[in-house]
């Protein structure tokens, strides 16, 4: 197990970023004396030679898309190396443990995965019993939720940073790095995959570790950093100190972060400091303008709060990039059209990735929505192929509209269509579904050569 490549870590997808969910486990294993190999099948071909050499293969599935890729990776690993121990780890490994253990995985790890993964490697090397923190067919184990001693992520073996997502601003595209200053989340939004695993807990990463990771990415070309925490402002003091130290050392570096609507309002004065330290945009889960939908999702904010959050971000000089769950069982066609009107009225067309107009509520195994009385009338069976519960909208027009919008925004992304043109087409589809006349084209109001707000070049959020 100590020879180079006898442990193989495989990443499938991390929103276009160089995969931290492989770089961090690699660092933990290296500190224990192992020499893991790494593979990222989102940007490089599956390497059967590396898979065949490994005694322990660990596949990272931190999100839904990564899981769907990961199950194909499991099949390919098993085809060339049927005798290796195959572990699947990450947020969506916990949620789908039963399926994974029945379809090629020997073990599953969730929560703060690096500690148990190191214990698993040691147990396999020495012939000891499987650690209690690791789930197998014969042994139950919940997510591991203990504070870890973080090393600096090990990125040297990963494909070059230039291979990954870029920051787009001022007509240029430059390499963007990715770090996490905290993991988990304090909040319990019902549709989020994090609460079933972390249960309202979060863990801060020491600032010196985060800064060291940023330094190594800047050294390889990063001009911008994404703080990928589920909510950067779960620990506002930690976040602000980190931003100030980062700016003092690297004043030209910019960053983006994610924060809840309620945190943008509660910490609106802090936003000015973050902007002064290089914060250029914030991603925030607005999700819906419908008070009913927001209540069913337990978002902790209202429509009026979304307006206040937009004002707070703009007042600080930070671009506001909302995300939406555009289709839920409770979203009416009127709600959907009002969302589009709101986006236009608030001048957010260039701030919303068009795929957001098509996103449908995902209900994975373990979701807090499964036990929701509001969800129960619409909830169908768990579909193994999609790793989510089936649900149908009570208004058939909404399901048909979602399919039509998804088809259009997918094509639009492929041809790099102007987001204003895409917006206009989505509105036309919504109007057609409602039997209404097509409204004036948003594209006609926004010049093709207009300045655009900063964005990352990877538009997918699930």
């Amino acid at each position: 197990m100590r020879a180079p490549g006898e442990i193989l870590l495989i990443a499938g997808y991390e929103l276009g970023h160089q995969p931290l969910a492989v770089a961090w486990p690699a660092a933990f294993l290296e500190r224990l004396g192992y020499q893991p190999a790494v593979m990222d099948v989102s940007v490089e071909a599956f390497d059967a030679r590396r898979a065949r050499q490994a005694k322990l293969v660990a596949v990272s599935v931190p999100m839904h898309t990564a899981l769907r890729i990961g199950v194909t990776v499991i099949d390919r690993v098993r085809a060339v190396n049927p005798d290796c121990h195959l572990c699947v780890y990450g947020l969506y490994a916990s949620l789908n443990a039963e399926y994974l253990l029945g379809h090629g995985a020997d073990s599953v790890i969730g929560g703060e995965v690096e500690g148990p993964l190191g214990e698993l490697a040691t147990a396999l090397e020495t012939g000891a019993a499987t650690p209690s923190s690791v789930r197998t067919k014969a042994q139950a184990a919940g997510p591991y939720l203990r504070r870890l001693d973080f090393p600096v992520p090990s990125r040297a073996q990963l494909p070059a940073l230039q291979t990954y997502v870029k920051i787009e601003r001022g007509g240029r595209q430059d390499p963007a790095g990715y770090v996490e200053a905290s993991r988990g989340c304090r909040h319990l939004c019902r549709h989020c995959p994090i609460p079933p695993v972390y249960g309202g807990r979060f863990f801060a990463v020491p600032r010196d570790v985060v800064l060291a990771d940023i330094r190594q990415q800047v050294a390889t070309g990063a001009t911008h950093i994404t703080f990928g925490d589920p909510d950067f402002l779960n620990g506002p003091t930690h976040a602000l100190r980190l931003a100030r130290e980062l700016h003092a050392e690297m004043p030209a570096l910019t960053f983006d972060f994610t924060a809840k609507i309620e945190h943008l309002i509660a910490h609106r004065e802090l936003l000015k400091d973050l902007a002064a330290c290089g914060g250029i945009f914030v991603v925030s889960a607005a999700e819906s303008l419908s008070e009913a939908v927001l209540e069913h999702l337990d978002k902790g904010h209202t429509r009026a709060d979304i307006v206040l959050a937009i004002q707070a971000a703009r007042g600080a000089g930070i671009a506001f990039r909302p995300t939406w769950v555009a289709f839920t069982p409770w979203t009416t066609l009127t709600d959907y059209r009002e969302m589009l009107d709101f986006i236009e009225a608030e001048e957010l067309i260039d701030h919303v990735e068009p795929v957001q107009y098509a996103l449908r509520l995902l209900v994975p195994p373990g979701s807090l929505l499964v036990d929701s009385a509001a969800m129960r009338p619409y909830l169908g069976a768990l579909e193994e192929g999609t790793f989510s519960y089936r649900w149908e909208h009570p208004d058939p027009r909404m399901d048909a509209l979602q399919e039509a919008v998804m088809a259009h925004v997918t094509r639009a992304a492929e041809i790099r269509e102007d987001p204003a043109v895409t917006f206009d087409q989505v509105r036309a589809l919504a109007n057609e579904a409602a039997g209404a006349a097509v409204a004036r084209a948003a594209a006609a109001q926004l010049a093709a050569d207009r300045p655009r707000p900063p964005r990352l070049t990877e538009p997918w959020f699930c």
Side-chain angles (χ1 to χ4, degrees), residues 261-281:
I261 295 291
E262 62 191 272
H263 286 170
L264 295 178
I265 298 170
H267 304 298
R268 62 188 311 154
E269 292 305 316
L270 182 151
L271 297 182
K272 297 176 182 178
D273 289 326
L274 292 177
C277 292
I280 57 173
F281 72 85

Side-chain angles (χ1 to χ4, degrees), residues 25 28-29 32 34 56 58 85 87-89 107-124 129-135 139 141-148 183:
F28 275 82
L29 289 166
L32 293 172
Y34 299 104
L56 166 60
H85 183 101
C87 174
V88 185
Y89 67 92
S107 60
V108 166
I109 302 173
E112 299 295 278
V113 301
E114 293 86 354
L117 186 58
E119 293 176 355
L120 175 63
T122 300
L124 292 172
T130 302
S132 60
S133 55
V134 176
R135 180 169 175 176
Q139 175 176 287
Y144 186 81
L145 298 178
R146 298 181 187 175
R147 191 173 302 280
L148 301 176
R183 312 200 309 189

Side-chain angles (χ1 to χ4, degrees), residues 312-342:
R314 285 177 174 165
I318 295 175
F320 181 83
R321 301 192 70 87
T323 63
W324 305 90
V325 181
F327 293 89
T328 76
W330 317 287
T331 306
T332 67
L333 186 51
T334 298
D335 292 336
Y336 187 83
R337 296 174 72 205
E338 285 182 358
M339 178 190 73
L340 298 177
D341 291 343
F342 179 88

Side-chain angles (χ1 to χ4, degrees), residues 60-418:
S60 168
V61 291
M63 54 186 301
H64 186 257
T65 301
L67 173 65
R68 300 190 70 164
I69 293 171
V71 295
T72 67
V73 170
I74 291 171
D75 290 340
R76 300 188 73 176
V77 171
R78 283 291 180 225
V80 299
N81 190 352
D83 297 325
C84 72
H85 183 101
L86 203 155
C87 174
V88 185
Y89 67 92
L91 192 66
Y92 273 79
S94 285
L95 297 176
N96 295 277
E98 186 173 344
Y99 174 91
L100 292 168
L101 292 171
H103 292 78
D106 295 303
S107 60
V108 166
I109 302 173
E112 299 295 278
V113 301
E114 293 86 354
L117 186 58
E119 293 176 355
L120 175 63
T122 300
L124 292 172
E125 180 185 25
T126 62
T130 302
S132 60
S133 55
V134 176
R135 180 169 175 176
T136 66
K137 288 182 179 179
Q139 175 176 287
Y144 186 81
L145 298 178
R146 298 181 187 175
R147 191 173 302 280
L148 301 176
D149 177 16
F150 289 97
V152 178
S154 178
R155 298 179 179 271
Q157 294 187 72
L158 287 166
L161 196 64
Q162 288 74 10
T163 309
Y164 294 94
V165 65
K166 307 293 193 300
I167 176 69
E168 185 174 273
R169 54 188 167 187
R172 290 178 48 112
Q173 291 186 0
D174 297 302
Y178 178 91
V179 298
E180 292 176 2
S182 64
R183 312 200 309 189
C185 186
R186 290 185 185 279
H187 299 272
L188 299 173
C189 303
R190 290 195 184 99
H191 65 308
C192 179
I194 297 172
V197 176
Y198 278 86
R201 296 190 64 184
F202 94 111
F203 299 90
V205 181
R207 295 194 306 279
D208 60 335
V209 174
V210 181
L211 288 168
D213 192 20
I214 293 173
R215 284 188 205 105
Q216 66 179 347
Q217 293 179 78
V218 169
T220 59
T223 63
H224 176 89
I225 292 292
T226 291
F227 284 101
D229 313 35
D231 193 317
F232 191 52
L233 299 182
N234 266 322
T237 301
H238 176 62
L240 182 57
R241 287 176 178 171
L242 178 54
R244 285 173 171 168
E245 291 177 24
L246 175 62
H247 186 64
E249 182 177 340
M250 292 169 268
L253 193 70
T254 58
F255 64 88
D256 68 89
F257 61 99
T258 298
K260 281 176 66 68
I261 295 291
E262 62 191 272
H263 286 170
L264 295 178
I265 298 170
H267 304 298
R268 62 188 311 154
E269 292 305 316
L270 182 151
L271 297 182
K272 297 176 182 178
D273 289 326
L274 292 177
C277 292
I280 57 173
F281 72 85
V282 59
V283 175
S284 192
E287 311 300 46
S288 177
L289 299 174
S290 163
E291 303 295 355
V293 173
L294 292 172
E295 182 178 351
H296 292 325
L297 299 182
D298 198 13
K299 280 303 301 173
H301 67 252
T302 64
R303 176 177 179 151
D305 290 335
I306 296 173
V307 175
L308 292 176
I310 293 170
Q311 294 170 349
R314 285 177 174 165
I318 295 175
F320 181 83
R321 301 192 70 87
T323 63
W324 305 90
V325 181
F327 293 89
T328 76
W330 317 287
T331 306
T332 67
L333 186 51
T334 298
D335 292 336
Y336 187 83
R337 296 174 72 205
E338 285 182 358
M339 178 190 73
L340 298 177
D341 291 343
F342 179 88
I343 288 169
E344 181 181 32
E346 291 291 338
E347 299 181 345
L348 291 172
I349 291 174
D350 283 332
H351 296 253
V352 176
E353 295 293 346
V355 71
Q356 295 292 317
Y357 305 135
L359 292 188
R360 194 172 192 273
L361 179 66
L362 186 70
V363 186
S367 170
L368 300 185
L369 282 171
V370 173
D371 296 323
S372 165
M375 188 73 199
R376 196 170 299 126
Y378 311 103
L379 198 64
L382 177 63
E383 295 182 330
E384 286 192 344
T386 63
F387 302 102
S388 62
Y389 283 90
R390 178 179 176 80
W391 62 267
E392 292 185 3
H393 200 284
D395 182 350
R397 295 178 301 172
M398 291 299 284
D399 285 337
L401 177 61
Q402 190 274 332
E403 291 179 3
V405 173
M406 180 58 83
H408 182 81
V409 300
T410 300
R411 289 194 300 271
E414 291 171 352
I415 65 174
R416 296 181 62 82
E417 185 174 77
D418 185 321

Side-chain angles (χ1 to χ4, degrees), residues 35-55:
Q35 301 180 68
V38 300
M39 187 191 308
D40 183 358
V41 297
S42 73
V43 297
E44 59 182 334
F46 177 81
D47 188 336
R49 179 192 59 81
R50 276 185 282 175
R52 192 177 296 112
Q53 178 184 356
K55 295 178 180 178

